[in-house]
PDB file of all heavy atoms in Angstrom:
ATOM      1  N   GLU A 273     -64.020 -58.422-101.584  1.00 96.00           N
ATOM      2  CA  GLU A 273     -64.795 -58.148-100.424  1.00 96.00           C
ATOM      3  C   GLU A 273     -63.969 -58.331 -99.130  1.00 96.00           C
ATOM      4  O   GLU A 273     -63.091 -59.189 -99.108  1.00 96.00           O
ATOM      5  CB  GLU A 273     -66.015 -59.176-100.318  1.00 96.00           C
ATOM      6  CG  GLU A 273     -66.953 -59.026-101.439  1.00 96.00           C
ATOM      7  CD  GLU A 273     -67.701 -57.730-101.432  1.00 96.00           C
ATOM      8  OE1 GLU A 273     -68.114 -57.337-100.362  1.00 96.00           O
ATOM      9  OE2 GLU A 273     -67.936 -57.170-102.510  1.00 96.00           O
ATOM     10  N   ILE A 274     -64.206 -57.382 -98.198  1.00 96.00           N
ATOM     11  CA  ILE A 274     -63.526 -57.436 -96.968  1.00 96.00           C
ATOM     12  C   ILE A 274     -64.455 -57.513 -95.769  1.00 96.00           C
ATOM     13  O   ILE A 274     -65.647 -57.138 -95.931  1.00 96.00           O
ATOM     14  CB  ILE A 274     -62.534 -56.197 -96.722  1.00 96.00           C
ATOM     15  CG1 ILE A 274     -63.413 -54.892 -96.835  1.00 96.00           C
ATOM     16  CG2 ILE A 274     -61.411 -56.225 -97.786  1.00 96.00           C
ATOM     17  CD1 ILE A 274     -62.525 -53.719 -96.417  1.00 96.00           C
ATOM     18  N   GLU A 275     -64.001 -58.012 -94.640  1.00 96.00           N
ATOM     19  CA  GLU A 275     -64.741 -57.941 -93.382  1.00 96.00           C
ATOM     20  C   GLU A 275     -64.318 -56.737 -92.612  1.00 96.00           C
ATOM     21  O   GLU A 275     -63.131 -56.555 -92.427  1.00 96.00           O
ATOM     22  CB  GLU A 275     -64.437 -59.222 -92.590  1.00 96.00           C
ATOM     23  CG  GLU A 275     -65.173 -60.432 -92.920  1.00 96.00           C
ATOM     24  CD  GLU A 275     -64.763 -61.541 -91.911  1.00 96.00           C
ATOM     25  OE1 GLU A 275     -65.034 -61.378 -90.748  1.00 96.00           O
ATOM     26  OE2 GLU A 275     -64.135 -62.521 -92.426  1.00 96.00           O
ATOM     27  N   VAL A 276     -65.248 -55.992 -92.131  1.00 95.00           N
ATOM     28  CA  VAL A 276     -64.917 -54.883 -91.333  1.00 95.00           C
ATOM     29  C   VAL A 276     -65.129 -55.276 -89.849  1.00 95.00           C
ATOM     30  O   VAL A 276     -66.147 -55.845 -89.490  1.00 95.00           O
ATOM     31  CB  VAL A 276     -65.859 -53.630 -91.582  1.00 95.00           C
ATOM     32  CG1 VAL A 276     -65.489 -52.467 -90.630  1.00 95.00           C
ATOM     33  CG2 VAL A 276     -65.661 -53.223 -92.999  1.00 95.00           C
ATOM     34  N   MET A 277     -63.980 -55.189 -89.057  1.00 95.00           N
ATOM     35  CA  MET A 277     -63.936 -55.694 -87.700  1.00 95.00           C
ATOM     36  C   MET A 277     -63.554 -54.499 -86.781  1.00 95.00           C
ATOM     37  O   MET A 277     -62.412 -54.315 -86.507  1.00 95.00           O
ATOM     38  CB  MET A 277     -63.014 -56.854 -87.606  1.00 95.00           C
ATOM     39  CG  MET A 277     -63.270 -57.983 -88.562  1.00 95.00           C
ATOM     40  SD  MET A 277     -62.043 -59.301 -88.631  1.00 95.00           S
ATOM     41  CE  MET A 277     -60.557 -58.479 -88.874  1.00 95.00           C
ATOM     42  N   GLY A 278     -64.572 -53.740 -86.380  1.00 95.00           N
ATOM     43  CA  GLY A 278     -64.299 -52.505 -85.699  1.00 95.00           C
ATOM     44  C   GLY A 278     -63.498 -51.557 -86.632  1.00 95.00           C
ATOM     45  O   GLY A 278     -64.004 -51.168 -87.640  1.00 95.00           O
ATOM     46  N   ARG A 279     -62.296 -51.159 -86.205  1.00 94.00           N
ATOM     47  CA  ARG A 279     -61.444 -50.256 -87.036  1.00 94.00           C
ATOM     48  C   ARG A 279     -60.537 -51.035 -87.972  1.00 94.00           C
ATOM     49  O   ARG A 279     -59.786 -50.474 -88.733  1.00 94.00           O
ATOM     50  CB  ARG A 279     -60.637 -49.359 -86.153  1.00 94.00           C
ATOM     51  CG  ARG A 279     -61.462 -48.360 -85.455  1.00 94.00           C
ATOM     52  CD  ARG A 279     -60.627 -47.380 -84.731  1.00 94.00           C
ATOM     53  NE  ARG A 279     -61.519 -46.265 -84.432  1.00 94.00           N
ATOM     54  CZ  ARG A 279     -61.056 -45.107 -84.048  1.00 94.00           C
ATOM     55  NH1 ARG A 279     -59.782 -44.895 -83.982  1.00 94.00           N
ATOM     56  NH2 ARG A 279     -61.842 -44.077 -83.809  1.00 94.00           N
ATOM     57  N   ASP A 280     -60.514 -52.354 -87.830  1.00 97.00           N
ATOM     58  CA  ASP A 280     -59.620 -53.284 -88.670  1.00 97.00           C
ATOM     59  C   ASP A 280     -60.416 -53.937 -89.774  1.00 97.00           C
ATOM     60  O   ASP A 280     -61.638 -53.790 -89.774  1.00 97.00           O
ATOM     61  CB  ASP A 280     -58.981 -54.339 -87.735  1.00 97.00           C
ATOM     62  CG  ASP A 280     -57.602 -54.826 -88.254  1.00 97.00           C
ATOM     63  OD1 ASP A 280     -57.266 -54.446 -89.465  1.00 97.00           O
ATOM     64  OD2 ASP A 280     -57.022 -55.586 -87.498  1.00 97.00           O
ATOM     65  N   ILE A 281     -59.739 -54.573 -90.611  1.00 97.00           N
ATOM     66  CA  ILE A 281     -60.337 -55.327 -91.718  1.00 97.00           C
ATOM     67  C   ILE A 281     -59.723 -56.737 -91.812  1.00 97.00           C
ATOM     68  O   ILE A 281     -58.633 -56.928 -91.279  1.00 97.00           O
ATOM     69  CB  ILE A 281     -60.313 -54.615 -93.028  1.00 97.00           C
ATOM     70  CG1 ILE A 281     -58.847 -54.466 -93.511  1.00 97.00           C
ATOM     71  CG2 ILE A 281     -61.046 -53.310 -93.047  1.00 97.00           C
ATOM     72  CD1 ILE A 281     -58.667 -53.965 -94.925  1.00 97.00           C
ATOM     73  N   GLY A 282     -60.477 -57.718 -92.390  1.00 97.00           N
ATOM     74  CA  GLY A 282     -59.982 -59.013 -92.533  1.00 97.00           C
ATOM     75  C   GLY A 282     -60.676 -59.680 -93.729  1.00 97.00           C
ATOM     76  O   GLY A 282     -61.405 -59.040 -94.475  1.00 97.00           O
ATOM     77  N   GLY A 283     -60.414 -60.937 -93.880  1.00 97.00           N
ATOM     78  CA  GLY A 283     -60.982 -61.700 -94.972  1.00 97.00           C
ATOM     79  C   GLY A 283     -59.921 -62.151 -96.001  1.00 97.00           C
ATOM     80  O   GLY A 283     -58.748 -61.738 -95.934  1.00 97.00           O
ATOM     81  N   ILE A 284     -60.397 -62.923 -96.916  1.00 97.00           N
ATOM     82  CA  ILE A 284     -59.521 -63.443 -97.995  1.00 97.00           C
ATOM     83  C   ILE A 284     -58.830 -62.391 -98.802  1.00 97.00           C
ATOM     84  O   ILE A 284     -57.691 -62.526 -99.123  1.00 97.00           O
ATOM     85  CB  ILE A 284     -60.279 -64.451 -98.866  1.00 97.00           C
ATOM     86  CG1 ILE A 284     -60.887 -65.597 -98.122  1.00 97.00           C
ATOM     87  CG2 ILE A 284     -59.420 -64.963-100.035  1.00 97.00           C
ATOM     88  CD1 ILE A 284     -59.838 -66.550 -97.431  1.00 97.00           C
ATOM     89  N   ALA A 285     -59.559 -61.358 -99.107  1.00 97.00           N
ATOM     90  CA  ALA A 285     -58.978 -60.292 -99.945  1.00 97.00           C
ATOM     91  C   ALA A 285     -57.804 -59.612 -99.243  1.00 97.00           C
ATOM     92  O   ALA A 285     -56.819 -59.196 -99.862  1.00 97.00           O
ATOM     93  CB  ALA A 285     -60.081 -59.257-100.303  1.00 97.00           C
ATOM     94  N   VAL A 286     -57.908 -59.499 -97.941  1.00 97.00           N
ATOM     95  CA  VAL A 286     -56.785 -58.839 -97.169  1.00 97.00           C
ATOM     96  C   VAL A 286     -55.617 -59.831 -97.181  1.00 97.00           C
ATOM     97  O   VAL A 286     -54.430 -59.355 -97.295  1.00 97.00           O
ATOM     98  CB  VAL A 286     -57.298 -58.577 -95.678  1.00 97.00           C
ATOM     99  CG1 VAL A 286     -56.137 -57.980 -94.924  1.00 97.00           C
ATOM    100  CG2 VAL A 286     -58.426 -57.575 -95.749  1.00 97.00           C
ATOM    101  N   HIS A 287     -55.840 -61.037 -96.978  1.00 97.00           N
ATOM    102  CA  HIS A 287     -54.728 -62.061 -96.954  1.00 97.00           C
ATOM    103  C   HIS A 287     -54.040 -62.115 -98.401  1.00 97.00           C
ATOM    104  O   HIS A 287     -52.852 -62.162 -98.485  1.00 97.00           O
ATOM    105  CB  HIS A 287     -55.234 -63.479 -96.628  1.00 97.00           C
ATOM    106  CG  HIS A 287     -55.677 -63.621 -95.236  1.00 97.00           C
ATOM    107  ND1 HIS A 287     -54.814 -63.674 -94.218  1.00 97.00           N
ATOM    108  CD2 HIS A 287     -56.907 -63.623 -94.653  1.00 97.00           C
ATOM    109  CE1 HIS A 287     -55.497 -63.775 -93.040  1.00 97.00           C
ATOM    110  NE2 HIS A 287     -56.756 -63.784 -93.344  1.00 97.00           N
ATOM    111  N   ALA A 288     -54.921 -61.997 -99.426  1.00 97.00           N
ATOM    112  CA  ALA A 288     -54.391 -62.020-100.770  1.00 97.00           C
ATOM    113  C   ALA A 288     -53.476 -60.758-101.023  1.00 97.00           C
ATOM    114  O   ALA A 288     -52.385 -60.845-101.582  1.00 97.00           O
ATOM    115  CB  ALA A 288     -55.454 -62.064-101.814  1.00 97.00           C
ATOM    116  N   ALA A 289     -53.902 -59.615-100.552  1.00 97.00           N
ATOM    117  CA  ALA A 289     -53.116 -58.373-100.745  1.00 97.00           C
ATOM    118  C   ALA A 289     -51.781 -58.501-100.004  1.00 97.00           C
ATOM    119  O   ALA A 289     -50.690 -58.082-100.520  1.00 97.00           O
ATOM    120  CB  ALA A 289     -53.899 -57.127-100.205  1.00 97.00           C
ATOM    121  N   ALA A 290     -51.771 -59.077 -98.800  1.00 97.00           N
ATOM    122  CA  ALA A 290     -50.481 -59.236 -98.058  1.00 97.00           C
ATOM    123  C   ALA A 290     -49.561 -60.219 -98.847  1.00 97.00           C
ATOM    124  O   ALA A 290     -48.389 -60.034 -98.849  1.00 97.00           O
ATOM    125  CB  ALA A 290     -50.858 -59.871 -96.706  1.00 97.00           C
ATOM    126  N   ARG A 291     -50.166 -61.369 -99.446  1.00 97.00           N
ATOM    127  CA  ARG A 291     -49.287 -62.233-100.170  1.00 97.00           C
ATOM    128  C   ARG A 291     -48.701 -61.549-101.458  1.00 97.00           C
ATOM    129  O   ARG A 291     -47.592 -61.825-101.813  1.00 97.00           O
ATOM    130  CB  ARG A 291     -50.074 -63.466-100.557  1.00 97.00           C
ATOM    131  CG  ARG A 291     -50.705 -64.270 -99.457  1.00 97.00           C
ATOM    132  CD  ARG A 291     -49.589 -64.870 -98.539  1.00 97.00           C
ATOM    133  NE  ARG A 291     -50.123 -65.525 -97.437  1.00 97.00           N
ATOM    134  CZ  ARG A 291     -50.440 -65.000 -96.276  1.00 97.00           C
ATOM    135  NH1 ARG A 291     -50.246 -63.715 -96.100  1.00 97.00           N
ATOM    136  NH2 ARG A 291     -50.876 -65.731 -95.289  1.00 97.00           N
ATOM    137  N   VAL A 292     -49.532 -60.715-102.096  1.00 97.00           N
ATOM    138  CA  VAL A 292     -48.990 -60.021-103.288  1.00 97.00           C
ATOM    139  C   VAL A 292     -47.881 -59.075-102.853  1.00 97.00           C
ATOM    140  O   VAL A 292     -46.795 -59.074-103.474  1.00 97.00           O
ATOM    141  CB  VAL A 292     -50.143 -59.190-103.934  1.00 97.00           C
ATOM    142  CG1 VAL A 292     -49.611 -58.268-105.037  1.00 97.00           C
ATOM    143  CG2 VAL A 292     -51.120 -60.149-104.503  1.00 97.00           C
ATOM    144  N   MET A 293     -48.006 -58.321-101.724  1.00 97.00           N
ATOM    145  CA  MET A 293     -46.983 -57.465-101.280  1.00 97.00           C
ATOM    146  C   MET A 293     -45.716 -58.263-100.946  1.00 97.00           C
ATOM    147  O   MET A 293     -44.604 -57.776-101.213  1.00 97.00           O
ATOM    148  CB  MET A 293     -47.438 -56.636-100.035  1.00 97.00           C
ATOM    149  CG  MET A 293     -46.435 -55.635 -99.665  1.00 97.00           C
ATOM    150  SD  MET A 293     -46.160 -55.350 -97.913  1.00 97.00           S
ATOM    151  CE  MET A 293     -46.075 -56.959 -97.216  1.00 97.00           C
ATOM    152  N   ALA A 294     -45.859 -59.426-100.345  1.00 96.00           N
ATOM    153  CA  ALA A 294     -44.700 -60.229 -99.936  1.00 96.00           C
ATOM    154  C   ALA A 294     -43.890 -60.612-101.188  1.00 96.00           C
ATOM    155  O   ALA A 294     -42.675 -60.844-101.003  1.00 96.00           O
ATOM    156  CB  ALA A 294     -45.155 -61.447 -99.173  1.00 96.00           C
ATOM    157  N   LYS A 295     -44.436 -60.693-102.316  1.00 96.00           N
ATOM    158  CA  LYS A 295     -43.722 -61.077-103.535  1.00 96.00           C
ATOM    159  C   LYS A 295     -43.110 -59.867-104.285  1.00 96.00           C
ATOM    160  O   LYS A 295     -42.314 -60.051-105.170  1.00 96.00           O
ATOM    161  CB  LYS A 295     -44.642 -61.814-104.409  1.00 96.00           C
ATOM    162  CG  LYS A 295     -45.175 -63.126-103.859  1.00 96.00           C
ATOM    163  CD  LYS A 295     -45.397 -64.134-104.907  1.00 96.00           C
ATOM    164  CE  LYS A 295     -45.799 -65.426-104.400  1.00 96.00           C
ATOM    165  NZ  LYS A 295     -44.653 -66.300-104.036  1.00 96.00           N
ATOM    166  N   SER A 296     -43.491 -58.618-103.853  1.00 96.00           N
ATOM    167  CA  SER A 296     -42.951 -57.472-104.576  1.00 96.00           C
ATOM    168  C   SER A 296     -41.551 -57.159-104.065  1.00 96.00           C
ATOM    169  O   SER A 296     -41.172 -57.473-102.915  1.00 96.00           O
ATOM    170  CB  SER A 296     -43.856 -56.253-104.357  1.00 96.00           C
ATOM    171  OG  SER A 296     -43.921 -55.851-103.039  1.00 96.00           O
ATOM    172  N   GLY A 297     -40.775 -56.478-104.931  1.00 95.00           N
ATOM    173  CA  GLY A 297     -39.407 -56.123-104.604  1.00 95.00           C
ATOM    174  C   GLY A 297     -39.329 -54.690-104.149  1.00 95.00           C
ATOM    175  O   GLY A 297     -40.341 -53.938-104.103  1.00 95.00           O
ATOM    176  N   ALA A 298     -38.167 -54.228-103.791  1.00 95.00           N
ATOM    177  CA  ALA A 298     -37.958 -52.852-103.415  1.00 95.00           C
ATOM    178  C   ALA A 298     -38.473 -51.894-104.530  1.00 95.00           C
ATOM    179  O   ALA A 298     -38.115 -52.116-105.720  1.00 95.00           O
ATOM    180  CB  ALA A 298     -36.458 -52.621-103.092  1.00 95.00           C
ATOM    181  N   GLU A 299     -39.162 -50.841-104.029  1.00 94.00           N
ATOM    182  CA  GLU A 299     -39.692 -49.815-104.985  1.00 94.00           C
ATOM    183  C   GLU A 299     -40.584 -50.420-106.044  1.00 94.00           C
ATOM    184  O   GLU A 299     -40.653 -49.857-107.082  1.00 94.00           O
ATOM    185  CB  GLU A 299     -38.535 -49.025-105.503  1.00 94.00           C
ATOM    186  CG  GLU A 299     -37.823 -48.227-104.409  1.00 94.00           C
ATOM    187  CD  GLU A 299     -36.605 -47.455-104.907  1.00 94.00           C
ATOM    188  OE1 GLU A 299     -36.544 -47.213-106.159  1.00 94.00           O
ATOM    189  OE2 GLU A 299     -35.807 -47.127-104.070  1.00 94.00           O
ATOM    190  N   GLU A 300     -41.266 -51.541-105.756  1.00 95.00           N
ATOM    191  CA  GLU A 300     -42.125 -52.155-106.730  1.00 95.00           C
ATOM    192  C   GLU A 300     -43.549 -52.142-106.218  1.00 95.00           C
ATOM    193  O   GLU A 300     -43.791 -52.408-104.993  1.00 95.00           O
ATOM    194  CB  GLU A 300     -41.638 -53.578-106.983  1.00 95.00           C
ATOM    195  CG  GLU A 300     -42.429 -54.345-108.061  1.00 95.00           C
ATOM    196  CD  GLU A 300     -41.820 -55.753-108.334  1.00 95.00           C
ATOM    197  OE1 GLU A 300     -41.541 -56.423-107.337  1.00 95.00           O
ATOM    198  OE2 GLU A 300     -41.736 -56.082-109.547  1.00 95.00           O
ATOM    199  N   VAL A 301     -44.512 -51.888-107.083  1.00 96.00           N
ATOM    200  CA  VAL A 301     -45.902 -51.993-106.793  1.00 96.00           C
ATOM    201  C   VAL A 301     -46.416 -53.179-107.588  1.00 96.00           C
ATOM    202  O   VAL A 301     -46.433 -53.140-108.792  1.00 96.00           O
ATOM    203  CB  VAL A 301     -46.702 -50.639-107.164  1.00 96.00           C
ATOM    204  CG1 VAL A 301     -48.135 -50.875-107.002  1.00 96.00           C
ATOM    205  CG2 VAL A 301     -46.200 -49.484-106.348  1.00 96.00           C
ATOM    206  N   LEU A 302     -46.833 -54.277-106.827  1.00 96.00           N
ATOM    207  CA  LEU A 302     -47.262 -55.484-107.483  1.00 96.00           C
ATOM    208  C   LEU A 302     -48.748 -55.589-107.212  1.00 96.00           C
ATOM    209  O   LEU A 302     -49.246 -55.302-106.071  1.00 96.00           O
ATOM    210  CB  LEU A 302     -46.477 -56.654-106.863  1.00 96.00           C
ATOM    211  CG  LEU A 302     -46.584 -57.995-107.588  1.00 96.00           C
ATOM    212  CD1 LEU A 302     -45.955 -57.838-108.956  1.00 96.00           C
ATOM    213  CD2 LEU A 302     -45.779 -59.015-106.734  1.00 96.00           C
ATOM    214  N   VAL A 303     -49.504 -55.939-108.225  1.00 96.00           N
ATOM    215  CA  VAL A 303     -50.905 -56.113-108.137  1.00 96.00           C
ATOM    216  C   VAL A 303     -51.338 -57.510-108.535  1.00 96.00           C
ATOM    217  O   VAL A 303     -50.692 -58.186-109.333  1.00 96.00           O
ATOM    218  CB  VAL A 303     -51.682 -55.044-109.012  1.00 96.00           C
ATOM    219  CG1 VAL A 303     -51.277 -53.606-108.583  1.00 96.00           C
ATOM    220  CG2 VAL A 303     -51.454 -55.243-110.409  1.00 96.00           C
ATOM    221  N   SER A 304     -52.508 -57.937-108.000  1.00 96.00           N
ATOM    222  CA  SER A 304     -53.031 -59.213-108.348  1.00 96.00           C
ATOM    223  C   SER A 304     -53.676 -59.125-109.717  1.00 96.00           C
ATOM    224  O   SER A 304     -53.878 -58.099-110.336  1.00 96.00           O
ATOM    225  CB  SER A 304     -54.158 -59.562-107.382  1.00 96.00           C
ATOM    226  OG  SER A 304     -55.281 -58.727-107.504  1.00 96.00           O
ATOM    227  N   ARG A 305     -53.928 -60.270-110.313  1.00 94.00           N
ATOM    228  CA  ARG A 305     -54.505 -60.427-111.615  1.00 94.00           C
ATOM    229  C   ARG A 305     -55.820 -59.634-111.696  1.00 94.00           C
ATOM    230  O   ARG A 305     -56.139 -58.974-112.641  1.00 94.00           O
ATOM    231  CB  ARG A 305     -54.738 -61.830-112.072  1.00 94.00           C
ATOM    232  CG  ARG A 305     -55.262 -62.042-113.480  1.00 94.00           C
ATOM    233  CD  ARG A 305     -55.357 -63.506-113.894  1.00 94.00           C
ATOM    234  NE  ARG A 305     -54.267 -64.263-113.559  1.00 94.00           N
ATOM    235  CZ  ARG A 305     -53.173 -64.373-114.375  1.00 94.00           C
ATOM    236  NH1 ARG A 305     -53.123 -63.820-115.556  1.00 94.00           N
ATOM    237  NH2 ARG A 305     -52.178 -65.149-114.003  1.00 94.00           N
ATOM    238  N   VAL A 306     -56.605 -59.755-110.616  1.00 94.00           N
ATOM    239  CA  VAL A 306     -57.938 -59.089-110.620  1.00 94.00           C
ATOM    240  C   VAL A 306     -57.748 -57.586-110.758  1.00 94.00           C
ATOM    241  O   VAL A 306     -58.468 -56.888-111.491  1.00 94.00           O
ATOM    242  CB  VAL A 306     -58.702 -59.443-109.261  1.00 94.00           C
ATOM    243  CG1 VAL A 306     -60.021 -58.650-109.165  1.00 94.00           C
ATOM    244  CG2 VAL A 306     -58.945 -60.927-109.143  1.00 94.00           C
TER     245      VAL A 306
END
């Protein structure tokens, strides 16, 4: 679930996606367990 804030989004799911991306390497698509 995300929060819609005008044209932006927020919430725990957005933070989780950012953390997953931060752990990925070059040319890597990393996904959460969910």
Side-chain angles (χ1 to χ4, degrees):
E273 295 293 321
I274 59 172
E275 278 182 64
V276 177
M277 304 174 309
R279 292 185 161 198
D280 204 355
I281 60 173
I284 299 297
V286 176
H287 293 285
R291 299 300 175 268
V292 171
M293 187 218 44
K295 296 211 177 273
S296 66
E299 299 176 16
E300 184 175 46
V301 174
L302 196 61
V303 302
S304 68
R305 183 179 313 274
V306 176

